[in-house]
Amino acid sequence: MVPQDTRKKGIRPRHAHVGKIVHPQDAENVLDTGVNLWFPGPQSFTGEDMLEFHVHGGNAVVSSILNALSTVPGVRMAEAGEFSRRAFDNDKMDLTTLEGVSDLINAETEAQRKLAVRQAHGELFR
């Protein structure tokens, strides 16, 4: 639903767009002003259509946007690691890269971070 709406409004893929974020059931209900980025598949991280919202981080703002999004059929919060799993499932990343991303997320030291970045970029064995 959202990607089709973005095409109608002239929103270009992989470009940041600033604007009002309104409730999908009530366009008069402005939830925030923010930035959105549309990544149509298959040229996205996951290989699927993806829309990112960058909003003010206050609890009330985030809560109102999440509640509004929950009214859109088929929209839900991603589970931990879901984007990487979908990227792997859609052949957008191999197992070594997937493990590198996981290691990067869990890195606690600078040395772990550096090694994980190399692995995530396929440089571990170079």
Side-chain angles (χ1 to χ4, degrees), residues 36-98:
N36 73 59
L37 295 127
W38 174 42
F39 300 96
Q43 293 87 24
S44 68
F45 179 80
T46 63
E48 302 167 346
D49 288 346
M50 186 168 56
L51 182 65
E52 290 184 5
F53 292 97
H54 297 252
V55 300
H56 295 97
N59 290 337
V61 171
V62 172
S63 179
S64 71
I65 291 170
L66 292 176
N67 286 335
L69 288 172
S70 72
T71 69
V72 179
V75 173
R76 62 173 176 73
M77 289 285 291
E79 298 172 10
E82 183 173 355
F83 287 111
S84 296
R85 180 186 51 78
R86 286 175 176 259
F88 179 75
D89 290 346
N90 291 322
D91 295 324
K92 300 297 265 181
M93 110 178 15
D94 62 24
L95 186 57
T96 300
T97 303
L98 181 65

Side-chain angles (χ1 to χ4, degrees), residues 5-52:
D5 291 345
T6 59
R7 286 188 198 112
K8 291 178 189 173
K9 295 178 181 176
I11 294 178
R12 294 173 34 200
R14 293 170 295 285
H15 285 82
H17 301 274
V18 177
K20 293 178 184 175
I21 298 172
V22 299
H23 195 288
Q25 309 298 322
D26 177 11
E28 299 296 315
N29 183 1
V30 177
L31 305 173
D32 193 13
T33 299
V35 175
N36 73 59
L37 295 127
W38 174 42
F39 300 96
Q43 293 87 24
S44 68
F45 179 80
T46 63
E48 302 167 346
D49 288 346
M50 186 168 56
L51 182 65
E52 290 184 5

